[in-house]
Amino acid sequence: MAWRRDRYWDPFDLMREIQEEIDAIFRDMMRGPRLWSWREPEESITTSETWREPFADIFDRGDKFVITVELPGVRKEDIKLRVTEDTVYIEAQMKREKELEREGAIRIERYYSGYRRVIRLPEEVIPEKAKARYNNGVLEIEVPKKNPTKPETEGFEVKIE
């Protein structure tokens, strides 16, 4: 009687399934947005778009959250900021166009790049009272909390004998 592989448990089936899952994860990673943009050679017409996730620092000041986000190379007019009761949405787009004329041919290249970030806040906030300032590539957002918490006291320092 011949042994058929599909009738009996094969310990290597599980390893094959795990390998397929790992391959799928890497395929998805390579397909998604990157931290760099790949440019075609200078002779071709290109339109590329790259989105990055900017670095952000979030501080709890007791009565409000202060969020600083690095957006280098972005103009203030190109920043979109939206605040809901528990989330901050940031999008900043940079657009560059380059025209070159060589041997009678005109070429226009377009390059779109930017930053996108969604920040979930640990407590509810009052979105309509949010304030934002942009200076030297740093966006600072202040969002007051709906139910402010008292800052924890550092206690009393005790000298050790």
Side-chain angles (χ1 to χ4, degrees), residues 112-130:
Y112 299 97
S113 175
Y115 301 96
R116 283 184 182 157
R117 181 80 188 249
V118 177
I119 300 171
R120 300 280 288 173
L121 299 171
E123 297 179 44
E124 285 190 28
V125 295
I126 307 169
E128 53 273 3
K129 292 190 178 181

Side-chain angles (χ1 to χ4, degrees), residues 24 29-30 41-42 45 58 77 98-99 127 134 139 153 157:
M29 277 181 16
M30 299 311 269
E42 199 59 30
I45 298 173
I58 305 168
E77 303 82 43
K98 181 173 152 184
E99 287 188 38
Y134 184 68
L139 177 66
T153 59
E157 186 174 338

Side-chain angles (χ1 to χ4, degrees), residues 7-159:
R7 283 191 167 174
Y8 299 99
W9 179 76
D10 182 7
F12 295 103
D13 283 341
L14 180 60
M15 290 186 349
R16 278 189 283 276
E17 286 179 28
I18 292 171
Q19 183 64 47
E20 288 170 6
E21 289 287 326
I22 292 171
D23 291 344
I25 290 170
F26 279 104
R27 266 194 311 274
D28 290 344
M29 277 181 16
M30 299 311 269
R31 204 176 310 138
R34 302 174 195 251
L35 294 177
W36 62 90
S37 71
W38 180 78
R39 299 285 315 247
E40 291 192 17
E42 199 59 30
E43 288 76 39
S44 66
I45 298 173
T46 62
T47 301
S48 61
E49 187 171 327
T50 304
W51 292 95
R52 298 175 181 103
E53 189 172 279
F55 294 110
D57 297 323
I58 305 168
F59 302 96
D60 186 347
R61 299 285 189 234
D63 61 335
K64 64 184 172 186
F65 289 109
V66 177
I67 304 164
T68 58
V69 182
E70 295 179 14
L71 301 171
V74 176
R75 296 181 324 180
K76 184 169 97 173
E77 303 82 43
D78 296 331
I79 301 173
K80 293 179 185 176
L81 176 64
R82 203 172 83 231
V83 179
T84 65
E85 289 183 349
D86 64 349
T87 309
V88 175
Y89 299 90
I90 302 163
E91 184 175 308
Q93 189 171 25
M94 297 181 290
K95 300 176 186 176
R96 295 188 191 104
E97 289 190 8
K98 181 173 152 184
E99 287 188 38
L100 295 176
E101 187 173 339
R102 194 181 310 158
E103 300 172 14
I106 296 178
R107 177 186 69 199
I108 301 174
E109 288 188 8
R110 292 169 192 86
Y111 176 73
Y112 299 97
S113 175
Y115 301 96
R116 283 184 182 157
R117 181 80 188 249
V118 177
I119 300 171
R120 300 280 288 173
L121 299 171
E123 297 179 44
E124 285 190 28
V125 295
I126 307 169
E128 53 273 3
K129 292 190 178 181
K131 297 177 187 174
R133 287 181 296 282
Y134 184 68
N135 189 21
N136 293 330
V138 178
L139 177 66
E140 183 177 284
I141 308 159
E142 291 183 5
V143 189
K145 292 182 184 181
K146 195 173 259 186
N147 300 314
T149 55
K150 293 180 183 177
E152 291 185 24
T153 59
E154 294 183 22
F156 182 74
E157 186 174 338
V158 178
K159 294 197 179 211

